[in-house]
Amino acid sequence: MAETKTMMIEEECFDVLTETGEKTGISKPRSEVHRNGDYHRAVHVWIYAESTGEVLVQKRADGKDSWPGLWDISSAGHISAGHSSLITARRELEEELGITLPKDAFELLFVYLQQCVINDGSFINNEYDDVYLVTTLHPIPLEAFTLQETEVSAVKYIPFEEYRSLLTKQHPDYVLYDVNGQYGQLFDIIQQRYKENPTARSLTLQKQLYRYAPVSLSAEVLSDLSDGDKEALDFLIKAAKIVDEIFYLQVWYNNPSLRDWLKEHADASELDKMKWMYYLINKSPWSCLDENKAFLTTADSAVKLLPEATKPVGGWKGLEYKSAFPIRKPPGANFYPPDMDKNEFELWKSTLTESQQKDATGFFIAIKRRTEFSSGSSQLNHTVGSTDHLVGNHDLSSIPYSEEYNSLLTKAAELLHKAGNLASSPSLKRLLHSKANAFLSNDYYESDIAWMELDSKLDVTIGPYMTYEDRLFGYKATFGAYIGLRDDKATAQLKLFGDNLQVLEQNLPMDNAYKSADVSAAPIRVIQLIFNAGDVKGPQTVAFNLPNDERILKERGTSMVMLKNVSQAKYLFKHILQPIADVCITKEQKELVDFESFFTHTICHECCHGIGPHAITLPNGEKSTVRKEMQELYSALEEAKADIVGLWALKFLINKDMLSKSLVESMYVSFLAGCFRSVRFGLEEAHGKGQAVQFNWLFEKGAFILHPDGTFSVDFAKVEGAVESLSREILTIQAKGDKAAARLLLQQYCIMTEPLKLALNKLEALQVPVDIVPTFPIAHETLE
């Protein structure tokens, strides 16, 4: 009895999942999970040899309780309770085959739900399998493996097409997988990756590159700067380049390695050159304009030699593998563990104190696994009896950016201090020194205040701000930098908008109970951009409205920076907005599309980020914020709000005789043309999502009309009411913190409808660029 009891206590436990694969917070022993058919998770690791096109298979030991003696996956195993997928994949490979690899060797291909009943009904398997691929250059010599005798009796390589054929024929010596179903993705991915025609791929990349028009962005001559500011500029650009390094790392942990490899091999062929050029635009292997679809594969990635990965074999230099990245862009970027889902985060967060929860959801805090910091990946084993259901162990922890990126932030802070010592403006000195201190303290409050109060010819925005990369929750901020020269004349002209924010707030189309009585005027600075870095991938921003800190929003409001030369490049460049109007707008209205309307609405858009709901009271009386309640939906909804409320605000100011009535028709038609421009950014991007919602709503209400010749026009009799109704809808959703309503709105209207497809296909056929890719000659001259 004592021996039996000991075996029960030491039995491995699994996290029990819902039918949709989310953690329930409950764990059970292995035998009970399989007896009851509980949903649980496991990993499949496939080793593929690139040079021979072979996969490694292992023969399961005869003593296994499932599929004994059959050939199966290279390595596989259950994920124990409280453990993570990636760590389990690494551990199983080491335990079963004696191969020790770092996490960048593992490419997550897909998640597969395996359901079967074996052993006369006593073994029910409802298992979510995380399917990983490890790509080696050449087959690993069989004598290099160290097999775990209780699990594996032999290994061999087999051509992947032959293996697929064996599974299709249901060969009795192999564990069967439905290769004509979901599991067939494994073979499809490998085949597509290595059978692709280089010529066809080159043409695809060429088309993708053509969507970006190269533009040299010049600004005013630097003679307007003091000698001190000119010297400071050199240090600022160097600091911005370090910010660029941080951003690459924030997108994906292995992104810098991929970048360096592509750069090193860019001259190998014309195809390699195009890979490098398109990578530089996207700053990752995922294309911003293609719903974040990967335009590179792990086959394009860096080759790494790891002699110590296996036991040594005479005459063999060691294992060479391809540094991997996932096919689908991770929604949590590198802010969270790659194998963490939303439910795991929420379960962990529920165990934290209020202060710890604030950290976990903060802008400047990364989330890591504690086991990542343990080289042995040792974790506590759950030891319970068969009837004791354990609440899941939590492996997550919060890491401040100041620690996560310490070495890079230390260098950037030193450069900012040097620039601050040279700067001629007291407000610029204050900003640069406070920002340098913030990099190391992780407290950005004072530096954000200093940024809002900046009064300097040399204008600088640097630090962690945008949250678009965090598509899991919208919590985490990416680093970016914008350095420019203030356009004093244009800045003075825009005072009207900032001065009337409170008036706009009080007249917003929403219930008075949701309106704020203390909206602060938004200072507006217009700059000529000299250099940008960090989170400036893909389509270029023309303005930004900061900060995001809810405390500052409540106390001081926001400040806005307009990038005038970027706006002019986007609008005036002959191959973007004007051709869109020529193709998509009726002959009678296309002349109404003009730069003044485009730029004025951009200003109003940014101003409107500062009005409407931010800090809110939920229906149950709880205090919260729109960002916290909307989570991953926040960015798209907020962009749609700023856009449509900005259009409403322009009409309001025109009605009050604060703006010229000549803007009325041109602003609506320019907005319509802008819809097609922004939707081309893709429906995975916040601005593209928001614009699709607006276009489809206004089209449904009859404010936008599609004509038989495929062109569009504005119905001026209906557009004002349609704009107001959508403004009310979004503002009310935000004010109530109603995430369910927000999701429903996006599901209903954030879609590629037939009218949108028609317009976008016409633009695609004419190869009208989607956006610009800037170069900065002044910055390069400064660094020489």
Side-chain angles (χ1 to χ4, degrees), residues 158-173:
I158 182 171
F160 87 95
E161 290 176 335
E162 179 183 337
Y163 179 54
R164 182 173 195 165
S165 176
L166 290 168
L167 295 180
T168 301
K169 295 174 182 177
Q170 299 187 356
H171 195 287
D173 292 343

Side-chain angles (χ1 to χ4, degrees), residues 129-343:
D129 297 314
D130 293 347
V131 181
Y132 290 93
L133 182 67
V134 172
T135 302
T136 63
L137 280 193
H138 308 290
I140 302 168
L142 297 185
E143 57 268 35
F145 293 101
T146 303
L147 304 184
Q148 186 180 17
E149 293 182 1
T150 57
E151 298 286 332
V152 185
S153 60
V155 292
K156 67 178 180 179
Y157 277 98
I158 182 171
F160 87 95
E161 290 176 335
E162 179 183 337
Y163 179 54
R164 182 173 195 165
S165 176
L166 290 168
L167 295 180
T168 301
K169 295 174 182 177
Q170 299 187 356
H171 195 287
D173 292 343
Y174 291 80
V175 176
L176 298 181
Y177 298 95
D178 183 9
V179 294
N180 295 318
Q182 188 184 10
Y183 215 85
Q185 291 178 82
L186 169 68
F187 303 94
D188 293 341
I189 288 168
I190 293 174
Q191 185 168 24
Q192 183 179 0
R193 186 171 292 180
Y194 293 99
K195 301 291 184 181
E196 188 173 26
N197 185 322
T199 302
R201 191 172 183 199
S202 293
L203 288 172
T204 298
L205 272 172
Q206 193 174 60
K207 288 180 181 178
Q208 290 174 313
L209 282 164
Y210 279 161
R211 294 179 298 182
Y212 289 92
V215 174
S216 177
L217 284 185
S218 58
E220 298 173 16
V221 291
L222 299 183
S223 58
D224 289 344
L225 292 178
S226 67
D227 290 340
D229 284 351
K230 289 177 185 177
E231 291 185 65
L233 180 59
D234 180 70
F235 290 115
L236 289 173
I237 292 173
K238 288 176 180 176
K241 286 183 174 292
I242 293 176
V243 159
D244 217 38
E245 290 293 317
I246 298 174
F247 176 69
Y248 276 105
L249 191 57
Q250 288 183 303
V251 172
W252 180 244
Y253 64 82
N254 205 36
N255 203 25
S257 174
L258 175 62
R259 176 200 59 197
D260 295 344
W261 174 267
L262 292 171
K263 181 179 181 180
E264 181 183 344
H265 293 81
D267 294 331
S269 69
E270 189 63 27
L271 176 58
D272 288 302
K273 181 180 180 181
M274 285 191 287
K275 289 180 191 176
W276 171 236
M277 290 172 64
Y278 199 53
Y279 176 87
L280 282 178
I281 291 172
N282 293 279
K283 294 192 173 182
S284 82
W286 302 288
S287 176
C288 298
L289 294 180
D290 297 294
E291 315 292 335
N292 286 321
K293 181 181 178 182
F295 64 92
L296 298 173
T297 73
T298 295
D300 301 308
S301 194
V303 176
K304 296 186 178 181
L305 172 65
L306 204 62
E308 65 274 19
T310 66
K311 64 183 178 185
V313 173
W316 181 56
K317 65 179 179 180
L319 188 151
E320 291 178 284
Y321 72 93
K322 287 291 187 72
S323 184
F325 54 87
I327 295 172
R328 295 172 183 84
K329 185 176 183 181
N334 195 27
F335 303 120
Y336 310 92
D339 51 3
M340 186 205 83
D341 59 26
K342 293 181 70 172
N343 197 50

